[in-house]
Amino acid sequence: MSKNYPFALQDLPYSYEALTPVLTSETLHFHHDKHLNAYVNNLNKALENCADFHHCSLNELLTKINQLPQAAQTAVRNNGGGVYNHELYFSTLTSPDAGTKPSEALQAAITRDFGSLEQMITQLKQAAVSRFGSGWAYVVADVNGVLSICSTPNQDVPDLCQYAPLMTVDVWEHAYYLDYQNRRPDYVDAFMTLINWDVVSRNYENRSFCK
Ligand code: MN3
């Protein structure tokens, strides 16, 4: 994750071809190089005149939005959320034949909280497909390590004081339109083969919360 202002566009942790055939390099170029890049630039622009907040991490900014100058609040919520969500999204993907699996600790939590990995995926798909308009669906953990599924509209993020997002599904049309047009359920189905369970497991084991 970017440390603090000025935030920088992070490179993808894999090649633009790595997610084919589920997501093409054309989609990744637009999504990362244009959409995420715009969120980074607009977040920096919004923070330009907020020197008191230049030391804040992205997580801190997103949990202190109402302490920011009024004029910056909406832009930081939308663009800071955009940076947070996309960094999480891109960092937890890998090629569809990578064959990663949840760690023992994460698998135990999945079994306890959902019954099985398949049941968790079914609930995640349901949240992603039923989100009206643009938004996100997540697997999150609370301070006790209890897992749940949640969803946000636009570029909002879950409450980072209460929940550590482990992974997320982008259901904005820009995430899938070139490859799936209006078929969001097909994108969501195929997306589930891209999850990098090594990274999701690490996010579970290293979960932290804003105060
Ligand atoms: Mn997106």
Side-chain angles (χ1 to χ4, degrees):
M1 292 267 173
S2 306
K3 292 259 187 289
N4 60 307
Y5 178 90
F7 292 94
L9 178 67
Q10 308 286 299
D11 289 339
L12 290 176
Y14 34 73
S15 78
Y16 287 91
E17 287 72 36
L19 307 183
T20 55
V22 175
L23 294 173
T24 56
S25 73
E26 194 186 13
T27 288
L28 285 193
H29 274 291
F30 273 101
H31 201 179
H32 176 271
D33 308 351
K34 306 288 184 198
H35 290 276
L36 174 52
N37 192 44
Y39 290 119
V40 172
N41 291 337
N42 289 329
L43 174 61
N44 287 331
K45 207 181 294 172
L47 291 169
E48 216 165 28
N49 298 318
C50 307
D52 292 350
F53 295 85
H54 286 178
H55 68 280
C56 291
S57 69
L58 186 54
N59 290 39
E60 285 170 332
L61 287 168
L62 290 170
T63 53
K64 288 182 181 176
I65 284 175
N66 49 20
Q67 297 172 32
L68 284 160
Q70 188 92 41
Q73 291 183 9
T74 301
V76 170
R77 177 174 173 168
N78 289 337
N79 295 290
V83 174
Y84 180 94
N85 283 325
H86 285 94
E87 286 188 353
L88 178 65
Y89 174 83
F90 287 125
S91 71
T92 53
L93 304 184
T94 187
S95 64
D97 53 10
T100 63
K101 296 263 181 307
S103 68
E104 225 169 277
L106 178 59
Q107 182 59 57
I110 290 170
T111 305
R112 179 194 64 207
D113 299 330
F114 297 96
S116 67
L117 182 59
E118 291 66 33
Q119 284 172 278
M120 184 179 86
I121 296 289
T122 299
Q123 287 189 35
L124 179 62
K125 282 185 192 174
Q126 175 61 26
V129 169
S130 62
R131 161 55 54 197
F132 181 76
S134 296
W136 300 80
Y138 308 80
V139 178
V140 299
D142 72 10
V143 281
N144 298 314
V146 174
L147 302 173
S148 55
I149 304 294
C150 70
S151 167
T152 64
N154 306 314
Q155 292 296 354
D156 289 355
V157 299
D159 177 352
L160 300 176
C161 301
Q162 286 201 61
Y163 298 105
L166 306 184
M167 56 139 322
T168 187
V169 190
D170 188 345
V171 295
W172 283 59
E173 283 187 344
H174 69 227
Y176 62 88
Y177 208 83
L178 292 175
D179 299 326
Y180 298 88
Q181 293 78 49
N182 62 330
R183 292 174 284 117
R184 187 193 288 189
D186 291 352
Y187 155 69
V188 169
D189 265 339
F191 173 89
M192 298 300 159
T193 66
L194 299 179
I195 299 170
N196 187 336
W197 291 106
D198 293 341
V199 176
V200 178
S201 299
R202 207 178 318 135
N203 290 346
Y204 181 66
E205 279 134 41
N206 299 337
R207 62 191 178 274
S208 66
F209 303 86
C210 288
K211 302 227 169 58

